[in-house]
Amino acid sequence: RQMCIRDRYMGSQQQQQQTTQQQTIQPPREGERIFASPLARKTAKERNVDLTQIKGSGPEGRIILQDVENFKGVASAQQQAATAPKKEKPAASKTQQAAPATQNPFEDIEVTNVRATIAKRLTESKQNIPHYYLTIEVEMDSLMKLRAQINENATSKISVNDFIIKASAKALLDVPEVNSQWHGTYIRQFKNADISVAVGSDNGLITPIVHNANNKPLEAVASQMKELVAKAKANKLQPNEFIGGTFTISNLGMFGVSDFIAVINPPQSCILAVSQTEKRLVPGLQDPNVPRVASVMTVTLSCDHRVVDGLVGSKWLQRFKHYIEHPISILV
């Protein structure tokens, strides 16, 4: 109280003689020390007043209580917000309340370059390519018998997938529209079958290529596939061994998958999803009314409708079925 009286007294006593001085005193510049009485500082803080905006009328420009009380500056947004009546917020509903943090431990795994490329290409494929799917069942008994005979004396074993590669390559020559790519203003149709085969590795899915599979004997395809798979798993494939291809095969049959569809590998137009071979009852050969047991494999062809119409895709599947069910024709 004594300090307040003192400030008021000093302000009234010196008001007249400080008139000239007050006219020349400017507010302190930014960074300069501000001279103000304790009570002036306290009042300015309570009113949220910036002392740098006030011209002091005290000795040597010192800011006193009266200067603060007479200050006509615009209150800051904080002062207005502080003095404005507060609206009560409605109580949050149970659905608005934040969910408790999970207690399940987890690990964030950095995305590799291979995985990022796979994600980008397949996302673009599903977004930009009009997929449609054709499924057919193929009897495998004749092929399994021929394979067993070949492998009896072969130094390098022939797999079912090797037969599938050769059958696909021969069917591509029979129906070349499937061996094509969409390029916006034109369709590029290839003369040879470069078969990409999906292979899983520690770095993600990769598709090594058997180039000119249509011109290679079955044994050469089998030998090359073993080499490519080994390189893929060791991450030693060269770019020309996995970039390109005109048609892709994805075989999950060895994992017991009974049926699936695959995403087209752009810029290719088709991909063949191969499922497991299983025993089924099928119509008899002599009398359809007398069922028989056969080994049956399900395959689904994913097609780009911009390039391969349904009729074309169906023709290709019929040729593929022919080669698989008459495997000796694959060797010719």
Side-chain angles (χ1 to χ4, degrees), residues 5 34 37 54 87 98 103-104 112 157 166 186 193 207 211 227 235 239 254 261 274 280 300 302 306 324:
I5 295 172
I34 300 174
S37 69
I54 300 177
K87 296 181 180 180
Q103 300 299 317
N104 190 3
T112 64
K157 301 298 182 182
K166 277 296 297 182
Y186 61 91
T207 52
H211 292 280
E227 180 182 350
N235 196 27
M254 67 283 291
I261 57 177
V274 181
R280 296 183 191 173
T300 298
S302 302
R306 298 173 301 180
I324 292 295

PDB file of all heavy atoms in Angstrom, residues 5 34 37 54 87 98 103-104 112 157 166 186 193 207 211 227 235 239 254 261 274 280 300 302 306 324:
ATOM      1  N   ILE A   5       0.959   4.325  -2.796  1.00  0.00           N
ATOM      2  CA  ILE A   5       0.831   5.752  -2.484  1.00  0.00           C
ATOM      3  C   ILE A   5       2.024   6.510  -3.014  1.00  0.00           C
ATOM      4  O   ILE A   5       1.916   7.609  -3.566  1.00  0.00           O
ATOM      5  CB  ILE A   5       0.692   5.944  -0.949  1.00  0.00           C
ATOM      6  CG1 ILE A   5      -0.632   5.313  -0.492  1.00  0.00           C
ATOM      7  CG2 ILE A   5       0.758   7.412  -0.567  1.00  0.00           C
ATOM      8  CD1 ILE A   5      -0.780   5.281   1.015  1.00  0.00           C
ATOM      9  N   ILE A  34      13.915  -3.008 -19.253  1.00  0.00           N
ATOM     10  CA  ILE A  34      12.721  -2.202 -18.964  1.00  0.00           C
ATOM     11  C   ILE A  34      12.778  -1.760 -17.503  1.00  0.00           C
ATOM     12  O   ILE A  34      12.895  -2.586 -16.586  1.00  0.00           O
ATOM     13  CB  ILE A  34      11.443  -3.009 -19.214  1.00  0.00           C
ATOM     14  CG1 ILE A  34      11.385  -3.449 -20.693  1.00  0.00           C
ATOM     15  CG2 ILE A  34      10.201  -2.224 -18.843  1.00  0.00           C
ATOM     16  CD1 ILE A  34      10.247  -4.367 -21.010  1.00  0.00           C
ATOM     17  N   SER A  37       8.404   0.097 -11.869  1.00  0.00           N
ATOM     18  CA  SER A  37       8.257  -0.164 -10.441  1.00  0.00           C
ATOM     19  C   SER A  37       7.683  -1.555 -10.227  1.00  0.00           C
ATOM     20  O   SER A  37       6.995  -2.082 -11.117  1.00  0.00           O
ATOM     21  CB  SER A  37       7.331   0.879  -9.814  1.00  0.00           C
ATOM     22  OG  SER A  37       6.004   0.702 -10.274  1.00  0.00           O
ATOM     23  N   ILE A  54       4.676   0.595 -23.371  1.00  0.00           N
ATOM     24  CA  ILE A  54       4.296   1.729 -22.508  1.00  0.00           C
ATOM     25  C   ILE A  54       5.446   2.721 -22.402  1.00  0.00           C
ATOM     26  O   ILE A  54       6.606   2.329 -22.235  1.00  0.00           O
ATOM     27  CB  ILE A  54       3.900   1.228 -21.096  1.00  0.00           C
ATOM     28  CG1 ILE A  54       2.704   0.263 -21.207  1.00  0.00           C
ATOM     29  CG2 ILE A  54       3.555   2.403 -20.179  1.00  0.00           C
ATOM     30  CD1 ILE A  54       2.298  -0.338 -19.890  1.00  0.00           C
ATOM     31  N   LYS A  87     -16.934 -21.641 -22.015  1.00  0.00           N
ATOM     32  CA  LYS A  87     -18.024 -22.541 -22.302  1.00  0.00           C
ATOM     33  C   LYS A  87     -17.670 -23.936 -21.809  1.00  0.00           C
ATOM     34  O   LYS A  87     -16.592 -24.430 -22.049  1.00  0.00           O
ATOM     35  CB  LYS A  87     -18.283 -22.590 -23.818  1.00  0.00           C
ATOM     36  CG  LYS A  87     -18.752 -21.272 -24.399  1.00  0.00           C
ATOM     37  CD  LYS A  87     -19.011 -21.417 -25.881  1.00  0.00           C
ATOM     38  CE  LYS A  87     -19.472 -20.096 -26.484  1.00  0.00           C
ATOM     39  NZ  LYS A  87     -19.727 -20.226 -27.936  1.00  0.00           N
ATOM     40  N   ALA A  98     -10.336 -41.664 -25.573  1.00  0.00           N
ATOM     41  CA  ALA A  98      -9.173 -42.297 -26.195  1.00  0.00           C
ATOM     42  C   ALA A  98      -9.041 -43.733 -25.725  1.00  0.00           C
ATOM     43  O   ALA A  98      -9.232 -44.038 -24.552  1.00  0.00           O
ATOM     44  CB  ALA A  98      -7.902 -41.510 -25.845  1.00  0.00           C
ATOM     45  N   GLN A 103      -1.024 -53.140 -24.887  1.00  0.00           N
ATOM     46  CA  GLN A 103       0.009 -53.763 -24.071  1.00  0.00           C
ATOM     47  C   GLN A 103       0.716 -54.884 -24.833  1.00  0.00           C
ATOM     48  O   GLN A 103       1.580 -55.541 -24.288  1.00  0.00           O
ATOM     49  CB  GLN A 103      -0.640 -54.327 -22.792  1.00  0.00           C
ATOM     50  CG  GLN A 103      -1.335 -53.275 -21.919  1.00  0.00           C
ATOM     51  CD  GLN A 103      -0.365 -52.204 -21.432  1.00  0.00           C
ATOM     52  OE1 GLN A 103       0.761 -52.528 -21.023  1.00  0.00           O
ATOM     53  NE2 GLN A 103      -0.769 -50.953 -21.481  1.00  0.00           N
ATOM     54  N   ASN A 104       0.301 -55.086 -26.095  1.00  0.00           N
ATOM     55  CA  ASN A 104       0.895 -56.155 -26.898  1.00  0.00           C
ATOM     56  C   ASN A 104       2.243 -55.701 -27.436  1.00  0.00           C
ATOM     57  O   ASN A 104       2.318 -54.743 -28.196  1.00  0.00           O
ATOM     58  CB  ASN A 104      -0.045 -56.503 -28.045  1.00  0.00           C
ATOM     59  CG  ASN A 104       0.390 -57.755 -28.780  1.00  0.00           C
ATOM     60  OD1 ASN A 104       1.364 -58.399 -28.410  1.00  0.00           O
ATOM     61  ND2 ASN A 104      -0.319 -58.103 -29.835  1.00  0.00           N
ATOM     62  N   THR A 112      12.375 -53.115 -46.932  1.00  0.00           N
ATOM     63  CA  THR A 112      13.532 -53.218 -47.822  1.00  0.00           C
ATOM     64  C   THR A 112      13.192 -52.638 -49.190  1.00  0.00           C
ATOM     65  O   THR A 112      12.021 -52.432 -49.531  1.00  0.00           O
ATOM     66  CB  THR A 112      13.949 -54.688 -47.986  1.00  0.00           C
ATOM     67  OG1 THR A 112      12.876 -55.407 -48.628  1.00  0.00           O
ATOM     68  CG2 THR A 112      14.246 -55.327 -46.631  1.00  0.00           C
ATOM     69  N   LYS A 157      16.618 -84.177 -61.659  1.00  0.00           N
ATOM     70  CA  LYS A 157      15.202 -84.498 -61.572  1.00  0.00           C
ATOM     71  C   LYS A 157      14.335 -83.403 -62.196  1.00  0.00           C
ATOM     72  O   LYS A 157      14.623 -82.209 -62.092  1.00  0.00           O
ATOM     73  CB  LYS A 157      14.790 -84.684 -60.111  1.00  0.00           C
ATOM     74  CG  LYS A 157      15.563 -85.785 -59.385  1.00  0.00           C
ATOM     75  CD  LYS A 157      15.323 -87.154 -60.012  1.00  0.00           C
ATOM     76  CE  LYS A 157      16.054 -88.259 -59.252  1.00  0.00           C
ATOM     77  NZ  LYS A 157      15.867 -89.597 -59.879  1.00  0.00           N
ATOM     78  N   LYS A 166       6.986 -75.464 -69.458  1.00  0.00           N
ATOM     79  CA  LYS A 166       7.020 -75.832 -70.879  1.00  0.00           C
ATOM     80  C   LYS A 166       5.625 -75.796 -71.504  1.00  0.00           C
ATOM     81  O   LYS A 166       5.455 -75.324 -72.637  1.00  0.00           O
ATOM     82  CB  LYS A 166       7.623 -77.234 -71.035  1.00  0.00           C
ATOM     83  CG  LYS A 166       9.126 -77.261 -71.050  1.00  0.00           C
ATOM     84  CD  LYS A 166       9.710 -76.524 -72.259  1.00  0.00           C
ATOM     85  CE  LYS A 166       9.327 -77.167 -73.581  1.00  0.00           C
ATOM     86  NZ  LYS A 166       9.953 -76.465 -74.739  1.00  0.00           N
ATOM     87  N   TYR A 186      -0.537 -48.886 -78.211  1.00  0.00           N
ATOM     88  CA  TYR A 186      -0.278 -50.091 -79.006  1.00  0.00           C
ATOM     89  C   TYR A 186      -0.118 -51.290 -78.076  1.00  0.00           C
ATOM     90  O   TYR A 186       0.108 -51.148 -76.871  1.00  0.00           O
ATOM     91  CB  TYR A 186       0.968 -49.931 -79.876  1.00  0.00           C
ATOM     92  CG  TYR A 186       2.244 -49.699 -79.097  1.00  0.00           C
ATOM     93  CD1 TYR A 186       3.046 -50.773 -78.705  1.00  0.00           C
ATOM     94  CD2 TYR A 186       2.644 -48.415 -78.749  1.00  0.00           C
ATOM     95  CE1 TYR A 186       4.221 -50.562 -77.991  1.00  0.00           C
ATOM     96  CE2 TYR A 186       3.808 -48.190 -78.035  1.00  0.00           C
ATOM     97  CZ  TYR A 186       4.591 -49.258 -77.652  1.00  0.00           C
ATOM     98  OH  TYR A 186       5.732 -49.051 -76.934  1.00  0.00           O
ATOM     99  N   ALA A 193       8.580 -67.034 -75.741  1.00  0.00           N
ATOM    100  CA  ALA A 193       7.980 -67.059 -74.400  1.00  0.00           C
ATOM    101  C   ALA A 193       9.078 -66.946 -73.337  1.00  0.00           C
ATOM    102  O   ALA A 193       9.864 -67.884 -73.150  1.00  0.00           O
ATOM    103  CB  ALA A 193       7.181 -68.343 -74.208  1.00  0.00           C
ATOM    104  N   THR A 207      10.883 -62.792 -59.344  1.00  0.00           N
ATOM    105  CA  THR A 207      10.452 -63.624 -60.475  1.00  0.00           C
ATOM    106  C   THR A 207      11.587 -63.837 -61.476  1.00  0.00           C
ATOM    107  O   THR A 207      11.683 -63.130 -62.492  1.00  0.00           O
ATOM    108  CB  THR A 207       9.243 -62.977 -61.190  1.00  0.00           C
ATOM    109  OG1 THR A 207       9.559 -61.610 -61.512  1.00  0.00           O
ATOM    110  CG2 THR A 207       8.010 -62.993 -60.297  1.00  0.00           C
ATOM    111  N   HIS A 211      14.274 -67.565 -70.173  1.00  0.00           N
ATOM    112  CA  HIS A 211      14.157 -66.938 -71.488  1.00  0.00           C
ATOM    113  C   HIS A 211      14.020 -68.006 -72.577  1.00  0.00           C
ATOM    114  O   HIS A 211      14.638 -69.081 -72.503  1.00  0.00           O
ATOM    115  CB  HIS A 211      15.385 -66.074 -71.776  1.00  0.00           C
ATOM    116  CG  HIS A 211      15.482 -64.849 -70.907  1.00  0.00           C
ATOM    117  ND1 HIS A 211      14.756 -63.711 -71.160  1.00  0.00           N
ATOM    118  CD2 HIS A 211      16.214 -64.601 -69.791  1.00  0.00           C
ATOM    119  CE1 HIS A 211      15.037 -62.797 -70.249  1.00  0.00           C
ATOM    120  NE2 HIS A 211      15.924 -63.312 -69.396  1.00  0.00           N
ATOM    121  N   GLU A 227      19.084 -73.473 -61.065  1.00  0.00           N
ATOM    122  CA  GLU A 227      20.124 -72.452 -60.936  1.00  0.00           C
ATOM    123  C   GLU A 227      19.514 -71.095 -60.541  1.00  0.00           C
ATOM    124  O   GLU A 227      20.034 -70.394 -59.656  1.00  0.00           O
ATOM    125  CB  GLU A 227      20.891 -72.326 -62.243  1.00  0.00           C
ATOM    126  CG  GLU A 227      22.003 -71.282 -62.216  1.00  0.00           C
ATOM    127  CD  GLU A 227      22.705 -71.159 -63.563  1.00  0.00           C
ATOM    128  OE1 GLU A 227      22.457 -72.007 -64.440  1.00  0.00           O
ATOM    129  OE2 GLU A 227      23.493 -70.198 -63.734  1.00  0.00           O
ATOM    130  N   ASN A 235      20.148 -64.183 -53.191  1.00  0.00           N
ATOM    131  CA  ASN A 235      20.139 -62.762 -53.587  1.00  0.00           C
ATOM    132  C   ASN A 235      21.285 -62.454 -54.552  1.00  0.00           C
ATOM    133  O   ASN A 235      21.955 -61.424 -54.440  1.00  0.00           O
ATOM    134  CB  ASN A 235      20.241 -61.857 -52.345  1.00  0.00           C
ATOM    135  CG  ASN A 235      19.847 -60.422 -52.633  1.00  0.00           C
ATOM    136  OD1 ASN A 235      19.060 -60.156 -53.549  1.00  0.00           O
ATOM    137  ND2 ASN A 235      20.405 -59.479 -51.898  1.00  0.00           N
ATOM    138  N   PRO A 239      20.261 -58.424 -63.002  1.00  0.00           N
ATOM    139  CA  PRO A 239      19.031 -57.756 -63.475  1.00  0.00           C
ATOM    140  C   PRO A 239      18.382 -58.432 -64.668  1.00  0.00           C
ATOM    141  O   PRO A 239      17.161 -58.560 -64.734  1.00  0.00           O
ATOM    142  CB  PRO A 239      19.523 -56.348 -63.815  1.00  0.00           C
ATOM    143  CG  PRO A 239      20.675 -56.121 -62.902  1.00  0.00           C
ATOM    144  CD  PRO A 239      21.357 -57.460 -62.786  1.00  0.00           C
ATOM    145  N   MET A 254       2.699 -76.804 -53.893  1.00  0.00           N
ATOM    146  CA  MET A 254       3.535 -77.579 -52.971  1.00  0.00           C
ATOM    147  C   MET A 254       3.282 -77.219 -51.504  1.00  0.00           C
ATOM    148  O   MET A 254       3.721 -77.922 -50.603  1.00  0.00           O
ATOM    149  CB  MET A 254       5.008 -77.393 -53.325  1.00  0.00           C
ATOM    150  CG  MET A 254       5.551 -75.985 -53.093  1.00  0.00           C
ATOM    151  SD  MET A 254       5.052 -74.804 -54.367  1.00  0.00           S
ATOM    152  CE  MET A 254       5.951 -75.396 -55.773  1.00  0.00           C
ATOM    153  N   ILE A 261      -5.943 -66.853 -56.540  1.00  0.00           N
ATOM    154  CA  ILE A 261      -5.755 -66.031 -57.740  1.00  0.00           C
ATOM    155  C   ILE A 261      -4.549 -65.133 -57.508  1.00  0.00           C
ATOM    156  O   ILE A 261      -4.250 -64.759 -56.365  1.00  0.00           O
ATOM    157  CB  ILE A 261      -7.001 -65.188 -58.077  1.00  0.00           C
ATOM    158  CG1 ILE A 261      -7.387 -64.290 -56.908  1.00  0.00           C
ATOM    159  CG2 ILE A 261      -8.159 -66.080 -58.471  1.00  0.00           C
ATOM    160  CD1 ILE A 261      -8.561 -63.373 -57.200  1.00  0.00           C
ATOM    161  N   VAL A 274      -1.146 -71.594 -59.848  1.00  0.00           N
ATOM    162  CA  VAL A 274      -1.199 -73.061 -59.848  1.00  0.00           C
ATOM    163  C   VAL A 274      -1.422 -73.552 -58.424  1.00  0.00           C
ATOM    164  O   VAL A 274      -0.635 -73.243 -57.519  1.00  0.00           O
ATOM    165  CB  VAL A 274       0.099 -73.652 -60.425  1.00  0.00           C
ATOM    166  CG1 VAL A 274       0.035 -75.176 -60.435  1.00  0.00           C
ATOM    167  CG2 VAL A 274       0.353 -73.121 -61.832  1.00  0.00           C
ATOM    168  N   ARG A 280      -9.663 -86.689 -56.904  1.00  0.00           N
ATOM    169  CA  ARG A 280     -11.080 -86.338 -56.993  1.00  0.00           C
ATOM    170  C   ARG A 280     -11.824 -87.376 -57.823  1.00  0.00           C
ATOM    171  O   ARG A 280     -11.232 -88.094 -58.648  1.00  0.00           O
ATOM    172  CB  ARG A 280     -11.274 -84.961 -57.632  1.00  0.00           C
ATOM    173  CG  ARG A 280     -10.692 -83.813 -56.853  1.00  0.00           C
ATOM    174  CD  ARG A 280     -11.013 -82.503 -57.547  1.00  0.00           C
ATOM    175  NE  ARG A 280     -10.253 -81.393 -56.978  1.00  0.00           N
ATOM    176  CZ  ARG A 280     -10.244 -80.174 -57.497  1.00  0.00           C
ATOM    177  NH1 ARG A 280     -10.935 -79.900 -58.591  1.00  0.00           N
ATOM    178  NH2 ARG A 280      -9.530 -79.209 -56.928  1.00  0.00           N
ATOM    179  N   THR A 300      -5.740 -71.008 -62.191  1.00  0.00           N
ATOM    180  CA  THR A 300      -6.533 -69.808 -62.474  1.00  0.00           C
ATOM    181  C   THR A 300      -5.669 -68.816 -63.234  1.00  0.00           C
ATOM    182  O   THR A 300      -4.569 -68.474 -62.792  1.00  0.00           O
ATOM    183  CB  THR A 300      -7.044 -69.157 -61.173  1.00  0.00           C
ATOM    184  OG1 THR A 300      -7.902 -70.085 -60.500  1.00  0.00           O
ATOM    185  CG2 THR A 300      -7.828 -67.885 -61.476  1.00  0.00           C
ATOM    186  N   SER A 302      -5.169 -65.095 -64.426  1.00  0.00           N
ATOM    187  CA  SER A 302      -5.543 -63.691 -64.261  1.00  0.00           C
ATOM    188  C   SER A 302      -5.178 -62.960 -65.540  1.00  0.00           C
ATOM    189  O   SER A 302      -4.043 -63.059 -66.016  1.00  0.00           O
ATOM    190  CB  SER A 302      -4.808 -63.057 -63.078  1.00  0.00           C
ATOM    191  OG  SER A 302      -5.075 -63.764 -61.883  1.00  0.00           O
ATOM    192  N   ARG A 306      -7.700 -55.398 -71.120  1.00  0.00           N
ATOM    193  CA  ARG A 306      -7.354 -54.476 -72.192  1.00  0.00           C
ATOM    194  C   ARG A 306      -6.675 -55.198 -73.350  1.00  0.00           C
ATOM    195  O   ARG A 306      -6.706 -54.739 -74.494  1.00  0.00           O
ATOM    196  CB  ARG A 306      -6.432 -53.371 -71.667  1.00  0.00           C
ATOM    197  CG  ARG A 306      -7.046 -52.487 -70.582  1.00  0.00           C
ATOM    198  CD  ARG A 306      -6.011 -51.545 -70.004  1.00  0.00           C
ATOM    199  NE  ARG A 306      -4.883 -52.257 -69.413  1.00  0.00           N
ATOM    200  CZ  ARG A 306      -3.836 -51.665 -68.827  1.00  0.00           C
ATOM    201  NH1 ARG A 306      -3.784 -50.337 -68.760  1.00  0.00           N
ATOM    202  NH2 ARG A 306      -2.861 -52.390 -68.309  1.00  0.00           N
ATOM    203  N   ILE A 324      -0.754 -80.421 -70.707  1.00  0.00           N
ATOM    204  CA  ILE A 324      -0.576 -81.071 -69.411  1.00  0.00           C
ATOM    205  C   ILE A 324      -1.175 -82.478 -69.429  1.00  0.00           C
ATOM    206  O   ILE A 324      -0.579 -83.433 -68.899  1.00  0.00           O
ATOM    207  CB  ILE A 324      -1.226 -80.231 -68.288  1.00  0.00           C
ATOM    208  CG1 ILE A 324      -0.456 -78.913 -68.106  1.00  0.00           C
ATOM    209  CG2 ILE A 324      -1.244 -81.008 -66.972  1.00  0.00           C
ATOM    210  CD1 ILE A 324       0.954 -79.051 -67.611  1.00  0.00           C
TER     211      ILE A 324
END
